[in-house]
Amino acid sequence: MNPLRSILEGPVLDAAPALLGWRLRSRIDNVVTEIVVTEVEAYDGANDPASHAFRGRSPRNLTMFGEPGGLYVYRSYGIHWCMNVVTGPKGRAAAVLLRAGVPTVGHVAMVKRRGRQDHLTDGPGKLCQALGVTGVHDGARLLGRGVLSLKPGLAPTTVEQTGRIGISKAVDRTWRFVTSDVV
């Protein structure tokens, strides 16, 4: 079995920290970029008031109810694209927000896409912009050789668990996972 599939089929609170150190690669418009995942947040569907799926299915969140390993992409505040990896069994709507990473491939392309040299991938919107991810990638499969793919990397030796950022509901849940020792 694909090691990523077994991680993603499990509970979102197990999958989120397990994704730290994995490599997310994009091949968009024949440009390859890649980051090592260093920051994520878990969102647990109907059990989580901060989740887009808390109130059930909608056209916006439909991808969250799909197979594990799907990519749920949405607009935040009508400005930034954000991406989540769908976890758990189909129909359950749990996902891991990819918040940040360290660039490893395609630095020049990331600088061009972001229009700056620094802070390329240290936030969910910045991460999507640097990798070229937009709403057209909603529903993409991360297991395999598609436009976007996740591959194993080095497992972190330390993981910090904190409260999630930029939400107003369920703020007491420490479902944000961060590492700085995977590159």
Side-chain angles (χ1 to χ4, degrees):
M1 175 184 258
N2 180 325
L4 180 59
R5 178 173 281 288
S6 63
I7 289 169
L8 297 180
E9 287 178 344
V12 71
L13 289 173
D14 293 340
L19 288 175
L20 295 173
W22 282 69
R23 296 178 174 273
L24 176 61
R25 179 172 282 232
S26 71
R27 182 180 300 274
I28 296 171
D29 298 328
N30 290 321
V31 176
V32 176
T33 54
E34 182 181 274
I35 59 99
V36 173
V37 178
T38 59
E39 182 181 349
V40 297
E41 288 179 350
Y43 289 88
D44 197 17
N47 300 317
D48 183 0
S51 172
H52 290 173
F54 182 66
R55 288 188 165 77
R57 290 179 200 251
S58 72
R60 178 187 191 203
N61 69 18
L62 193 57
T63 300
M64 285 184 75
F65 291 86
E67 295 283 338
L71 191 70
Y72 167 51
V73 181
Y74 68 91
R75 273 272 200 209
S76 177
Y77 301 108
I79 301 169
H80 306 289
W81 293 108
C82 295
M83 62 181 149
N84 296 258
V85 181
V86 176
T87 69
K90 184 176 181 178
R92 189 164 182 298
V96 177
L97 173 65
L98 302 178
R99 287 198 53 83
V102 174
T104 56
V105 175
H107 187 269
V108 170
M110 291 184 197
V111 167
K112 185 176 178 183
R113 287 173 177 157
R114 293 272 301 123
R116 60 185 304 154
Q117 293 280 338
D118 59 348
H119 299 284
L120 296 176
T121 57
D122 60 351
K126 297 173 190 180
L127 185 61
C128 281
Q129 188 178 23
L131 293 173
V133 174
T134 68
V136 302
H137 301 106
D138 183 48
R141 300 290 303 153
L142 297 172
L143 306 172
R145 300 178 186 228
V147 171
L148 294 151
S149 61
L150 269 169
K151 303 290 181 203
L154 297 175
T157 55
T158 59
V159 175
E160 181 182 5
Q161 189 171 347
T162 74
R164 296 178 290 189
I165 297 173
I167 60 171
S168 59
K169 297 174 183 170
V171 296
D172 58 324
R173 297 181 185 182
T174 56
W175 291 2
R176 176 176 169 255
F177 303 91
V178 183
T179 189
S180 59
D181 67 353
V182 293
V183 181

